[in-house]
Amino acid sequence: MAYAEAAALHGRAPKFHGMRGLLRSLAWATTLPVALGLAWLMTPWAVLLLLVWPAQVGRRIALGDDPEVALFNALGKLPEAHGALTYLLRRAMRSKPRLIEYK
């Protein structure tokens, strides 16, 4: 939710704060799976496109990240996108955000 809220509050020109992270998480966790699902309907060979995620992890390892960091960065896109979509849905429905209090 943080990327979506930051983009909503400060995502305008000239700095576009939060937009890059928001778009990255939405692309990896929503757009890519939908595109893969539609491609799979056309040809079963599209399942091989699922190798994009391990390739992303391998690319991050090649750039110098630890394997655990690379893996969890890739997996972390899923909850990031879920939070962003939840925020955008609640904002569209104009519902009030719930306060989370820690004791």
Side-chain angles (χ1 to χ4, degrees), residues 1-34:
M1 268 197 234
Y3 281 133
E5 190 167 4
L9 292 173
H10 310 291
R12 310 261 186 298
K15 293 194 178 188
F16 299 103
H17 179 74
M19 290 298 292
R20 185 174 180 186
L22 175 64
L23 295 176
R24 186 182 320 123
S25 65
L26 290 177
W28 279 100
T30 58
T31 307
L32 188 61
V34 169

Side-chain angles (χ1 to χ4, degrees), residues 43-94:
T43 176
W45 289 100
V47 174
L48 293 176
L49 293 174
L50 289 173
L51 295 175
V52 168
W53 276 289
Q56 174 71 1
V57 172
R59 184 183 76 82
R60 297 288 307 249
I61 292 170
L63 290 174
D65 283 349
D66 288 332
E68 294 85 12
V69 171
L71 174 67
F72 288 114
N73 273 335
L75 291 176
K77 301 298 180 214
L78 298 169
E80 285 176 10
H82 178 265
L85 293 173
T86 301
Y87 172 80
L88 294 173
L89 179 66
R90 287 184 181 159
R91 185 171 176 189
M93 294 174 54
R94 297 182 183 196

